[in-house]
Amino acid sequence: EAQVTQNPRYLITVTGKKLTVTCSQNMNHEYMSWYRQDPGLGLRQIYYSMNVEVTDKGDVPEGYKVSRKEKRNFPLILESPSPNQTSLYFCASSYLGQSTGELFFGEGSRLTVL
Amino acid sequence: AQTVTQSQPEMSVQEAETVTLSCTYDTSESDYYLFWYKQPPSRQMILVIRQEAYKQQNATENRFSVNFQKAAKSFSLKISDSQLGDAAMYFCAYRTFTGNQFYFGTGTSLTVIP
């Protein structure tokens, strides 16, 4: 089954404790990206990757890191989480090129930073 | 950066009736992609419909259709014969032609009244 898998789905942590949200896709997509969803703000892009070892900032990259060492994986790293990073996070992937470029989303990760 | 505006935070519709959700966007590109995504209470992001800016014909998917007005930078979603399962948050999204960035609106919460 084609899917984007992200873990954990739910996490409560404390300020400053490093955490990683993993994301994996099995569709051989070149493009992967991370979003955060906050009430009244919609989804905002954090980072994206056009291919292995190619990453770039989205609209809200502060406080986050990513890496793309393998095509299928795109983890999101919070080195020192703060309460303003409490949010719902989505990983997504898509083809590039001639396709219509729809995003395939993971199921979301609800993060609470105390 | 492109912006996507959904001016209706909440909408309601009677079951079996028709409702139109509005979306406008700002861009200087001539080619791009537009999408409507549905987010039910499960939080899963589900693609409803897509539109390529170079196509003049409005996209249709069963009960869902769009009114794409390129000059006006408008991309509204019409849901016909509304069903209880259509109740969800709906997001309008814009993808740049190069495919690297996505921009989402703030969403419209649709209630379907039995």
Side-chain angles (χ1 to χ4, degrees), chain B residues 3-8 22-26 36 92 104-107:
Chain B
T3 57
V4 178
T5 301
Q6 293 180 250
S7 58
Q8 306 153 316
S22 300
C23 173
T24 59
Y25 55 94
D26 183 30
W36 279 98
C92 178
F104 287 82
T106 52

Side-chain angles (χ1 to χ4, degrees), chain B:
Chain B
Q2 285 76 1
T3 57
V4 178
T5 301
Q6 293 180 250
S7 58
Q8 306 153 316
E10 297 177 344
M11 293 280 286
S12 62
V13 62
Q14 292 284 146
E15 194 175 3
E17 296 295 308
T18 296
V19 64
T20 298
L21 309 184
S22 300
C23 173
T24 59
Y25 55 94
D26 183 30
T27 184
S28 57
E29 294 185 313
S30 57
D31 289 318
Y32 45 87
Y33 305 100
L34 296 166
F35 307 87
W36 279 98
Y37 280 90
K38 170 185 177 181
Q39 187 181 45
S42 66
R43 302 182 333 202
Q44 182 68 32
M45 294 288 287
I46 303 165
L47 178 70
V48 175
I49 200 164
R50 67 173 76 86
Q51 176 81 44
E52 296 90 336
Y54 60 85
K55 290 186 178 179
Q56 293 185 339
Q57 185 173 5
N58 289 326
T60 299
E61 289 286 343
N62 300 314
R63 297 182 296 106
F64 299 88
S65 61
V66 298
N67 182 6
F68 173 48
Q69 301 288 329
K70 190 174 183 179
K73 298 178 183 177
S74 172
F75 183 60
S76 61
L77 175 70
K78 185 171 82 171
I79 306 174
S80 304
D81 185 25
S82 297
Q83 301 175 0
L84 295 178
D86 295 333
M89 182 73 82
Y90 286 82
F91 291 100
C92 178
Y94 172 106
R95 183 170 194 173
T96 58
F97 181 69
T98 56
N100 59 342
Q101 291 190 294
F102 276 82
Y103 299 92
F104 287 82
T106 52
T108 297
S109 179
L110 178 66
T111 300
V112 180
I113 303 166

Side-chain angles (χ1 to χ4, degrees), chain A residues 3-47:
Chain A
Q3 59 185 3
V4 178
T5 303
Q6 50 182 112
N7 283 295
R9 297 285 312 283
Y10 300 90
L11 180 63
I12 300 174
T13 190
V14 296
T15 299
K17 186 176 181 180
K18 180 179 178 180
L19 68 92
T20 299
V21 186
T22 63
C23 175
S24 181
Q25 51 94 5
N26 62 1
M27 295 169 279
N28 202 35
H29 286 165
E30 302 90 350
Y31 180 90
M32 297 186 74
S33 56
W34 277 99
Y35 303 84
R36 60 178 289 172
Q37 181 179 0
D38 301 290
L41 297 178
L43 281 79
R44 293 178 293 168
Q45 191 173 46
I46 303 171
Y47 270 94

